[in-house]
Amino acid sequence: MGKNWYVVHTYSGSEEKVKQAIEDKADKKNFRDKIAQVLVPTERIIELKGGGKKESNKKFYPGYILIEMELDDESWHLVRKTPRVTGFVGGSNPVALSQEEVDVILQQMEKGHAPQVKTQYQKNETVRITDGPFSNFLGYIEDIDMDHGRLKVMVSIFGRQTPVELNFFQVERA
């Protein structure tokens, strides 16, 4: 019997602990030939908080991990009896993922998108420009371009509202 990829449901927030526990159990019982890989599918995101940026990992499927394994009674019990595991997707008869599904997930993990920017800014919010030629000017957000990480801020220059294109990192809440 060959190895296939299976989805295992875990307690949300415990994915990394479950991954480590399964890998440790597999090593102790010499099951590394049956359990090849355990993955927590994640992608990089950039969060803007308090005027700074913070990079972190975001799980694609919170509460789930992927396991490449040869499914038999022993390997099923090893995974199923791991603390914080609630079961296999498919119940007592786990359903293997197709190779196409696995390839999409692996490609998304490896290549990923450009890191996603998660912002706390909203349209019509007043911001202070912290960088560039308009530093210390106040304006309000007219448009948010998530794809490019940019804002269109309307700034009063000589009594007229003028649009200024700025990076997320060049403004802070006023």
Side-chain angles (χ1 to χ4, degrees):
M1 182 191 260
K3 291 182 180 74
N4 289 309
W5 285 93
Y6 296 92
V7 180
V8 175
H9 189 256
T10 68
Y11 292 172
S12 188
S14 299
E15 298 88 354
E16 289 294 335
K17 289 178 184 175
V18 169
K19 174 186 183 227
Q20 191 62 51
I22 290 171
E23 289 173 343
D24 291 346
K25 284 170 110 178
D27 288 340
K28 283 181 188 173
K29 294 191 173 197
N30 292 322
F31 275 20
R32 273 305 185 178
D33 57 326
K34 291 183 181 183
I35 298 177
Q37 295 183 65
V38 182
L39 296 177
V40 179
T42 58
E43 65 183 340
R44 303 274 314 141
I45 62 166
I46 298 172
E47 285 187 89
L48 301 175
K49 285 191 177 174
K53 69 177 184 175
K54 176 185 156 197
E55 289 191 27
S56 61
N57 286 325
K58 177 184 171 197
K59 295 175 185 80
F60 294 168
Y61 309 111
Y64 295 93
I65 60 173
L66 303 177
I67 303 179
E68 183 183 20
M69 63 187 280
E70 182 179 318
L71 188 65
D72 61 16
D73 286 343
E74 291 175 322
S75 62
W76 184 88
H77 281 290
L78 181 137
V79 172
R80 185 64 188 91
K81 297 299 180 187
T82 301
R84 299 183 183 99
V85 168
T86 59
F88 282 87
V89 170
S92 57
N93 298 321
V95 178
L97 293 174
S98 70
Q99 192 57 48
E100 293 81 28
E101 292 171 316
V102 173
D103 291 342
V104 167
I105 293 169
L106 294 176
Q107 182 180 13
Q108 195 173 4
M109 284 179 66
E110 288 172 14
K111 186 170 53 170
H113 316 299
Q116 286 187 347
V117 177
K118 182 179 174 185
T119 182
Q120 59 195 14
Y121 300 116
Q122 298 174 359
K123 265 187 163 181
N124 298 321
E125 181 176 11
T126 302
V127 293
R128 177 183 319 281
I129 300 172
T130 59
D131 186 33
F134 299 102
S135 187
N136 291 325
F137 275 65
L138 288 177
Y140 67 91
I141 298 172
E142 183 170 280
D143 192 35
I144 301 171
D145 182 357
M146 293 299 288
D147 295 334
H148 297 101
R150 300 189 61 78
L151 300 169
K152 184 191 288 185
V153 178
M154 297 303 286
V155 179
S156 179
I157 301 174
F158 302 119
R160 298 181 72 182
Q161 291 295 320
T162 307
V164 178
E165 290 270 332
L166 298 166
N167 192 317
F168 284 160
F169 310 115
Q170 293 179 287
V171 298
E172 66 182 15
R173 279 199 164 112

